[in-house]
DNA sequence: GCTGAAAGGAGAATGAG
DNA sequence: CTCATTCTCCTTTCAGC
């Protein structure tokens, strides 16, 4: 799985992180190679799972999602069943667009998207807190997103 | 900018959020239309800025990014200059992959990616705190990412 | 390993009905 | 929206460095 990447690979990834539809011609130029080896390198990284896929980036505002928030969640207890149940909740609810378990006083941090603050509040109350799995939650509304889903650094 | 989306548009977006390289044929099937109108609808959504672009999704682990964290940041003061300076910092530093200003006691929440915890600590110390723009910061390491950059809900 | 070239086919993009 | 057409570009293969 862990494959070695040289500078040319990094250049290819840098382009593809910005433009997933870049043509082999563009990619070849950026990498300083011709098209065939470019194609092979990309295929190799796709097959290795390093490139997980290609997706369209959408504008949440354009979709009518005017309320975004980060929500800290502390579970009511830490039995396996509770954790699994919460995992299913996260997987099921499309308004939860990101979830990670973290260090610190909370168990999870969620990123939640909703139509408006009211919709978000309803979702948290009825969709999350009412399940009885959450002891505590803390909501931080996003006022302005200054950097969004930017490319990963290639260190 | 705010254009009206019908069910067919939603189906197209649902597909494109999962597979940005979906062919017009697949898209047409999913939307229940033929290819030309599909293409037109997608073009319309691209031109409106609703579809911001197409990108490759990479696996951070595969890139050697083994330390991810959310970091709360409170600025030393709230003069325009300080805020602008912090904005430039965020824009410049590729390890900061996400940044939002939020409600609550902190000013910003960052998502930071680094090679390992040590690299992350070095970056925070030298790259962020040493700038003198930050009064307080709180780092929450990500233990496990259970939902990552998932599609936006189409409500 | 890389290059360049070239062939075939797939699919994007456009215009007319 | 459908149909038909054009044309770009992907993808693979070849020979050669």
């Amino acid at each position: 799985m862990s494959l070695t990447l040289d500078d040319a690979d990094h250049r290819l990834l840098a382009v593809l992180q910005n433009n997933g539809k870049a043509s082999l011609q563009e990619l070849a130029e950026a990498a300083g190679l011709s098209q065939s080896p470019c194609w092979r390198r990309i295929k190799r990284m796709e097959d290795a799972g390093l490139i997980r896929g290609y997706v369209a980036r959408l504008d949440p505002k354009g979709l009518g999602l005017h309320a975004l928030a980060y929500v800290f969640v502390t579970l009511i207890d830490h039995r396996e069943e509770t954790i699994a149940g919460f995992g299913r909740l996260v997987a099921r609810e499309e308004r939860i667009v990101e979830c990670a378990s973290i260090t610190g006083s909370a168990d999870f941090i969620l990123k939640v998207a909703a139509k408006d603050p009211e919709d978000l509040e309803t979702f948290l109350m009825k969709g999350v807190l009412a399940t009885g799995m959450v002891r505590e939650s803390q909501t931080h509304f996003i006022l302005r997103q200054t950097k969004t889903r930017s490319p990963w650094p290639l260190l």
Side-chain angles (χ1 to χ4, degrees), chain A:
Chain A
M1 163 55 182
S2 207
L3 67 185
T4 315
L5 305 175
D6 62 15
D7 282 356
D9 291 317
H10 279 179
R11 284 191 290 268
L12 291 173
L13 291 175
V15 173
L16 286 173
Q17 282 199 98
N18 280 313
N19 177 15
K21 279 188 139 75
S23 70
L24 275 177
Q25 197 172 353
E26 294 176 66
L27 290 162
E29 273 178 43
L33 300 172
S34 61
Q35 297 187 15
S36 316
C38 269
W39 185 84
R40 273 178 206 281
R41 281 162 183 265
I42 291 165
K43 186 97 194 332
R44 170 169 154 267
M45 296 190 282
E46 287 171 355
D47 291 344
L50 204 166
I51 298 176
R52 287 186 166 166
Y54 301 86
V55 296
R57 293 187 57 204
L58 307 187
D59 174 33
K61 278 215 187 78
L63 294 171
L65 301 171
H66 300 287
L68 304 182
Y70 288 99
V71 181
F72 281 86
V73 168
T74 307
L75 295 187
I76 193 85
D77 59 52
H78 297 88
R79 288 155 45 222
E80 278 221 12
E81 195 190 319
T82 310
I83 295 174
F86 187 72
R88 284 193 297 274
L89 168 73
V90 168
R92 183 195 335 130
E93 292 293 348
E94 57 183 4
R95 265 171 262 246
I96 301 175
V97 295
E98 218 171 301
C99 175
S101 73
I102 54 173
T103 61
S105 53
D107 295 319
F108 293 95
I109 183 168
L110 311 179
K111 188 171 179 180
V112 179
K115 283 209 280 274
D116 50 57
E118 197 183 317
D119 181 36
L120 204 149
E121 192 263 356
T122 306
F123 168 66
L124 288 179
M125 288 298 181
K126 299 197 174 168
V128 180
L129 304 184
T131 63
M133 290 186 284
V134 174
R135 177 196 304 282
E136 206 183 321
S137 80
Q138 205 177 357
T139 300
H140 300 266
F141 272 86
I142 294 180
L143 300 174
R144 175 203 297 256
Q145 193 100 34
T146 65
K147 206 170 189 180
T148 322
R149 299 184 173 198
S150 81
W152 296 111
L154 306 170
L155 305 175

